[in-house]
Amino acid sequence: TQSTWAVAAGEYDGQLFAGLRVTTFGNASGKDAEANVVMLEALRKSGNLLQASKYPHSYPHCWRCHSPLIYRATVQWFMNIDHDGFRQKALKAIEDVQWFPKESINRITNMVGGRPDWCVSRQRSWGVGIPAFYCDHCGEHILTKESIGAVVEWTRRESSDVWYEKTPAELLPEGFRCPHCDSGVEKLRKETDVLDVWFDSGSTNRAVLQNTEHWPDLSWPADVYLEGGDQHRGWFNSSLMVGVGTMGSAPYRSVVTNGWTLDEQGRAMHKSLGNVVNPLTLIAQSGADIVRLWVVSQNFMEDTRCGENVLKQVGEMYRRIRNTFRFLLNNLYDFDPATDAVPDVLMLELDRWAVAQVDRIVQTATGAYE
């Protein structure tokens, strides 16, 4: 059966427009799509075509499969970021959080300060349903405290799948009627859009930290969120929106942003580029100790490069450290602390300083492990 949109596409001179492909792919890439050919011919026949020519221009494509994208205007659900001063509340909440590195506060502040309203609906066949109903009699949407509460209770008892398994009559309270025209539940249908997955991930702080029945030792807000720099417009951002919107403050006390591991040319690793570095392969080639030394020698808050040549340099540093320790241990092979140790009072000041530094490092490392 044809959808409403396909029927509305219409026809001209006996040529139906419904069902025509608007893009090309595979072996047909580079050729005119059939919809373009038919539409241009219809405009030409009707005398409404002023000019038709080709010119190179940029066009958005899918980052995964590289196919051209098609924009379609549809009704969506939005979160009004400026409602009741919400944006300013979110910006204030950012100031109450510790950000590592410190300059990352500028990025999240810019993201929140300039972000548009949040489109929270998606047109997918999977996901968490938006608990809204539509009345076929008056055409209005229904999103009331009573209707949402009924769906919440069903979901709490049977999981979010209940939205797809039950009818409006089963989900809504007995005697429920459309608040706009007083029609019965037999005139109601469910929303088919699902929530943006960022809304799902942004809600995890409420679902996990406040679920004391399953995790009694956890509490809201979280002590720390740790993720990559792209999450200032992703998880950090959506969690902040949900936290401020439902609890009045950020869902985290501190946020740590890590850098990316790049290849030796400074490019991000992608399977499509074939430049992904497998840690297991590195361990097999260079040994686990060299990989560990590479890890601890990096500033994890900044982007870092990894590859065969980088690990060769780390390997040389590792061997210098190892050989130094071997030399020191060889000179201490017959050392007996009970008879050979020098009392602190007889040590040179430089030696006492060195011993104190070692003790401090041992205490710091032990405390970190514990």
Side-chain angles (χ1 to χ4, degrees), residues 211-265:
N211 191 343
T212 54
E213 180 180 347
H214 288 85
W215 297 286
D217 296 331
L218 299 182
S219 61
W220 195 97
D223 290 323
V224 62
Y225 267 41
L226 170 63
E227 252 291 0
D230 60 333
Q231 299 307 313
H232 287 95
R233 63 178 177 183
W235 188 40
F236 300 157
N237 202 313
S238 63
S239 297
L240 181 69
M241 298 297 104
V242 174
V244 174
T246 62
M247 298 293 290
S249 62
Y252 34 67
R253 294 187 179 92
S254 59
V255 174
V256 180
T257 304
N258 62 268
W260 302 107
T261 301
L262 311 175
D263 68 9
E264 290 184 317
Q265 285 72 46

Side-chain angles (χ1 to χ4, degrees), residues 323-340:
N323 290 337
T324 300
F325 273 106
R326 288 181 63 184
F327 175 80
L328 294 173
L329 288 173
N330 287 337
N331 280 276
L332 295 171
Y333 77 97
D334 59 349
F335 178 80
D336 184 355
T339 58
D340 300 327

Side-chain angles (χ1 to χ4, degrees), residues 299-315:
N299 179 355
F300 75 92
M301 295 185 187
E302 299 178 355
D303 292 345
T304 184
R305 301 187 182 192
C306 184
E308 184 177 349
N309 293 325
V310 171
L311 288 179
K312 282 182 180 179
Q313 297 175 11
V314 176

Side-chain angles (χ1 to χ4, degrees), residues 28-48:
S29 295
K31 300 180 180 179
D32 284 340
E34 56 181 350
N36 288 348
V37 175
V38 172
M39 290 299 295
L40 285 173
E41 184 60 24
L43 291 170
R44 187 176 288 109
K45 284 184 177 180
S46 64
N48 293 308

Side-chain angles (χ1 to χ4, degrees), residues 156-335:
R156 184 174 284 119
R157 290 196 302 266
E158 300 190 18
S159 87
S160 59
D161 288 345
V162 73
W163 179 252
Y164 302 101
E165 297 169 350
K166 295 189 179 297
T167 65
E170 294 173 309
L171 291 169
L172 294 168
E174 185 177 354
F176 185 90
R177 306 189 70 81
C178 173
H180 304 287
C181 69
D182 202 39
S183 295
V185 290
E186 69 278 0
K187 295 292 185 180
L188 305 184
R189 56 185 170 85
K190 297 180 293 184
E191 170 65 86
T192 57
D193 287 359
V194 299
L195 282 168
D196 176 15
V197 291
W198 285 116
F199 191 94
D200 295 345
S201 63
S203 303
T204 53
N205 61 87
R206 296 290 308 274
V208 175
L209 299 180
Q210 294 185 323
N211 191 343
T212 54
E213 180 180 347
H214 288 85
W215 297 286
D217 296 331
L218 299 182
S219 61
W220 195 97
D223 290 323
V224 62
Y225 267 41
L226 170 63
E227 252 291 0
D230 60 333
Q231 299 307 313
H232 287 95
R233 63 178 177 183
W235 188 40
F236 300 157
N237 202 313
S238 63
S239 297
L240 181 69
M241 298 297 104
V242 174
V244 174
T246 62
M247 298 293 290
S249 62
Y252 34 67
R253 294 187 179 92
S254 59
V255 174
V256 180
T257 304
N258 62 268
W260 302 107
T261 301
L262 311 175
D263 68 9
E264 290 184 317
Q265 285 72 46
R267 301 175 301 176
M269 296 186 189
H270 293 289
K271 287 187 290 186
S272 59
L273 294 178
N275 64 340
V276 176
V277 177
N278 189 330
L280 295 179
T281 302
L282 295 179
I283 292 173
Q285 294 174 344
S286 306
D289 284 341
I290 291 179
V291 176
R292 291 189 186 106
L293 181 59
W294 169 77
V295 170
V296 299
S297 64
Q298 307 302 310
N299 179 355
F300 75 92
M301 295 185 187
E302 299 178 355
D303 292 345
T304 184
R305 301 187 182 192
C306 184
E308 184 177 349
N309 293 325
V310 171
L311 288 179
K312 282 182 180 179
Q313 297 175 11
V314 176
E316 294 174 2
M317 181 171 61
Y318 165 79
R319 280 183 286 275
R320 286 199 298 268
I321 295 173
R322 191 169 184 271
N323 290 337
T324 300
F325 273 106
R326 288 181 63 184
F327 175 80
L328 294 173
L329 288 173
N330 287 337
N331 280 276
L332 295 171
Y333 77 97
D334 59 349
F335 178 80

